[in-house]
Amino acid sequence: MAFDITVVSPLRQDVRARALTDPKFVLQKSRDAKFRKYEGKLPPEIGLIPLVVTTFGAWEEDAYSNLREIVAHQSRNSASNSNTLTKQFFQRLSVCLQRENGSLLFDRSPLSTLNPSVDGEM
């Protein structure tokens, strides 16, 4: 299995109007785009599972189900409470996604290209 996590904003100009009336639209559009992106590029024995989440934290239904299945498998191999494991799994995943999103935003920022020796004068 190949997992592809996609974070999408429902405030994007191309989906904003439709996202107001159909909140799942942006999730489904991104999921479909991932299948198109990898169509014919993965070996036949590898299945693609797109995991789509909005910047506001809403998960696409299939993504949420797949993640819950991962937690269920983990809980079968653990003595911990499954509710606790589920909570901790989604907390860790959320922190990782926010950290990576912050890193991506910083890398795109014009401030990230400044010479470190600059002392505030431009």
Side-chain angles (χ1 to χ4, degrees), residues 34-61:
K34 285 297 173 181
F35 281 118
R36 282 192 307 277
K37 177 181 177 180
Y38 290 107
E39 186 175 8
K41 295 181 182 171
L42 293 174
E45 66 273 7
I46 296 179
L48 174 66
I49 298 180
L51 303 172
V52 184
V53 62
T54 68
T55 52
F56 298 127
W59 286 93
E60 191 262 335
E61 288 178 28

Side-chain angles (χ1 to χ4, degrees), residues 71-116:
V71 175
H73 181 70
Q74 182 183 13
S75 69
R76 286 190 293 270
N77 297 324
S78 173
S80 299
N81 179 330
S82 66
N83 289 336
T84 302
L85 282 175
T86 301
K87 181 179 174 182
Q88 290 173 347
F89 177 83
F90 279 97
Q91 287 173 342
R92 284 191 306 261
L93 183 58
S94 296
V95 168
C96 288
L97 289 173
Q98 291 302 325
R99 183 180 60 231
E100 292 302 317
N101 283 337
S103 177
L104 287 171
L105 288 173
F106 182 73
D107 288 345
R108 293 178 184 173
S109 167
L111 296 176
S112 67
T113 60
L114 288 179
N115 184 338

